[in-house]
């Protein structure tokens, strides 16, 4: 059935390193 | 041993966040005055997106955990702690806020 994985929030940085 | 987390009050999505499912990813984009703040965005996994969409300002963490456990057919007690932690993460990120208590 639908696999259960703990709810997860990922923050994706869109600007950079420079 | 960590002390038990206090129960979360009912939450609702922040009005400053737009959520969309795009190409299988559930995206949460902070916006300000209608313009996206494109320094960063958030993505949630499948279960996270289900939890987020259940936030209507009336359901508390226990009710959300019950619905998620039915949806994914896993024990409720297993989901409860995950949901509490996820709601805390959402709140820290400013993506949700506690719902105003309804006037009597």
């Amino acid at each position: 059935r639908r696999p259960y994985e703990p709810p997860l929030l990922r923050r994706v940085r869109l600007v950079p390193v420079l | 041993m960590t002390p038990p987390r206090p129960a979360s009050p009912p939450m609702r999505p922040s009005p400053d966040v737009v959520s969309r499912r795009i190409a299988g990813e559930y995206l949460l984009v902070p916006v300000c005055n209608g313009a996206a703040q494109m320094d960063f965005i958030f993505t949630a996994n499948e279960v996270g997106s289900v939890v987020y969409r259940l936030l209507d300002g009336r359901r508390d963490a226990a009710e959300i955990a019950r619905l998620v456990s039915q949806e994914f057919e896993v024990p409720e007690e297993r989901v409860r702690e995950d949901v509490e932690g996820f709601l805390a993460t959402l709140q820290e990120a400013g993506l949700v806020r506690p719902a105003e208590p309804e006037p009597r």
Side-chain angles (χ1 to χ4, degrees):
Chain A
R1 299 200 171 111
R2 293 176 76 182
Y4 176 81
E5 291 177 346
L8 182 70
L9 185 72
R10 207 160 55 91
R11 180 174 163 143
V12 181
R13 191 171 173 81
L14 300 180
V15 294
V17 171
L18 287 176
Chain B
M1 186 175 160
T2 55
R5 194 191 306 270
S8 301
M11 299 276 184
R12 64 182 331 127
S14 167
D16 301 325
V17 174
V18 173
S19 59
R20 292 284 186 277
R21 182 178 291 281
I22 300 173
E25 291 273 337
Y26 194 72
L27 304 181
L28 300 164
V29 182
V31 296
C32 182
N33 298 326
Q37 296 176 311
M38 296 306 280
D39 283 356
F40 55 83
I41 60 173
F42 296 89
T43 68
N45 65 358
E46 178 70 15
V47 177
S49 73
V50 170
V51 171
Y52 192 82
R53 281 176 285 152
L54 287 170
L55 295 171
D56 63 354
R58 292 192 295 273
R59 298 184 179 106
D60 62 9
E63 173 68 4
I64 290 172
R66 188 180 68 76
L67 293 168
V68 170
S69 72
Q70 288 176 349
E71 175 93 11
F72 290 88
E73 302 186 23
V74 288
E76 189 174 331
E77 56 272 20
R78 179 182 164 190
V79 178
R80 177 67 187 270
E81 195 171 334
D82 292 342
V83 168
E84 291 276 7
F86 186 65
L87 292 181
T89 302
L90 288 172
Q91 193 169 9
E92 285 166 14
L95 300 174
V96 299
R97 57 181 55 173
E100 298 292 327
E102 292 188 0
R104 290 178 181 275

